[in-house]
Amino acid sequence: MAAGYRCDTGAQTVSGVVQGIAFRLSLPPEGAGAVRLEMSVSIPEKQLPALVKRLSGAYPGVTAAPYRFGILLELPSGEGMTGEMLNAFLDASAGAALKNVGAAHDEKFENYGEPFYVYLRGALGALLGAMVGALPWLLIGGGWYSVWLGTLISTASFFGYRLLKGAHHTGFATGCILLFSLLALFGAEFFSYFSVFWNSGEYASIGAVLAAIGRYVMAVGLPEFLGSMAVGMVFGLLGLFSIRKYISIYTHEPRFLRRRKEKDDKSDKK
């Protein structure tokens, strides 16, 4: 088995995290019996046949069913399975689960008891993360040669959202990340222009600088003014697309994990 997994030889179990999903693998004694794989991932029951279909080619007879706060996969027989084969089964199961996670999922997580302040906390985290992610753009000075840095802004915004334990609502999380990434990108680009005009020494006040920027925008046109920022936002969307799996994993955490986090937060305050 892979390094980092916890093995209990007495109970014949292996546990850990694979591709961001917590699991516990129960092995039959001497290979006689079914291999049971518990995975802490929320998948609608009607999506489980699709998950089984993804796995059945390589693992005939595999079954999937809701189990406790996640799902349970069972292989009819573990006879002859080596450590490498078990690792392959873990990776294949996690990959199949991630392709089905959240599909046709009810997004009304407020029914799960997440209070309003959790949404505010997530929005604040997304904003702070986007501001941190925009710093490289600001330091370089914006422009066409820095558009790829837009990827960092949306990525940092998500990690800020997750760090402050925002609401487990995919639409809300994605909306916050997009909104605050755009605002942070616009702020960084605008500040770059502001710095250039202010440091020129031709303007005596902030108002005069803002007026000069306004005249510049009128002269070159808004598309020219926002051109590099728009391309930067495209890169930001690419960054968001590249981490969509991790957003889905976070927002579709099983309910008991969300309650555990809230409980830990309250304990820390005490």
Side-chain angles (χ1 to χ4, degrees):
M1 296 297 293
Y5 295 158
R6 294 189 301 274
C7 300
D8 187 335
T9 54
Q12 287 287 93
T13 61
V14 179
S15 59
V17 177
V18 56
Q19 298 187 37
I21 300 175
F23 75 89
R24 184 171 65 178
L25 182 69
S26 301
L27 305 173
E30 300 180 356
V35 174
R36 293 165 55 88
L37 175 60
E38 302 172 42
M39 304 187 77
S40 179
V41 60
S42 294
I43 296 178
E45 187 172 356
K46 64 181 180 180
Q47 290 298 122
L48 293 180
L51 186 151
V52 170
K53 185 177 180 180
R54 294 180 188 276
L55 293 172
S56 58
Y59 304 99
V62 66
T63 61
Y67 186 73
R68 295 179 179 173
F69 299 101
I71 62 171
L72 173 66
L73 299 178
E74 287 190 290
L75 274 177
S77 175
E79 186 175 359
M81 292 193 73
T82 64
E84 291 184 0
M85 294 171 67
L86 289 172
N87 277 328
F89 176 59
L90 279 173
D91 287 333
S93 300
L98 289 174
K99 290 179 181 178
N100 286 279
V101 68
H105 198 283
D106 183 5
E107 290 287 358
K108 297 180 179 179
F109 283 112
E110 55 268 29
N111 292 335
Y112 291 173
E114 286 191 310
F116 181 67
Y117 77 85
V118 177
Y119 289 80
L120 294 179
R121 191 171 64 190
L124 177 61
L127 173 60
L128 295 177
M131 292 172 65
V132 172
L135 286 178
W137 181 291
L138 182 61
L139 294 174
I140 290 179
W144 292 100
Y145 48 84
S146 61
V147 292
W148 62 272
L149 292 173
T151 305
L152 298 178
I153 299 176
S154 58
T155 303
S157 181
F158 162 65
F159 283 107
Y161 186 94
R162 190 177 71 175
L163 183 64
L164 293 192
K165 300 182 177 68
H168 293 75
H169 190 298
T170 307
F172 180 78
T174 304
C176 283
I177 293 168
L178 285 175
L179 173 62
F180 292 125
S181 294
L182 179 61
L183 291 177
L185 190 58
F186 178 82
E189 182 75 353
F190 180 82
F191 190 81
S192 297
Y193 278 96
F194 184 89
S195 298
V196 171
F197 279 80
W198 179 262
N199 292 329
S200 68
E202 299 180 12
Y203 308 98
S205 66
I206 294 177
V209 172
L210 295 177
I213 293 176
R215 290 193 296 272
Y216 174 79
V217 173
M218 293 294 294
V220 302
L222 194 60
E224 176 68 21
F225 178 70
L226 298 179
S228 61
M229 192 196 86
V231 178
M233 195 59 200
V234 171
F235 276 86
L237 290 173
L238 291 176
L240 188 62
F241 181 79
S242 68
I243 61 171
R244 68 192 189 283
K245 176 178 74 174
Y246 300 100
I247 298 176
S248 186
I249 289 173
Y250 174 77
T251 56
H252 292 91
E253 282 180 335
R255 281 173 281 179
F256 81 99
L257 288 180
R258 299 206 290 278
R259 294 192 186 116
R260 174 72 176 273
K261 286 184 177 182
E262 294 301 318
K263 184 177 180 181
D264 290 343
D265 289 345
K266 293 177 181 178
S267 299
D268 292 340
K269 291 178 181 179
K270 293 179 181 179

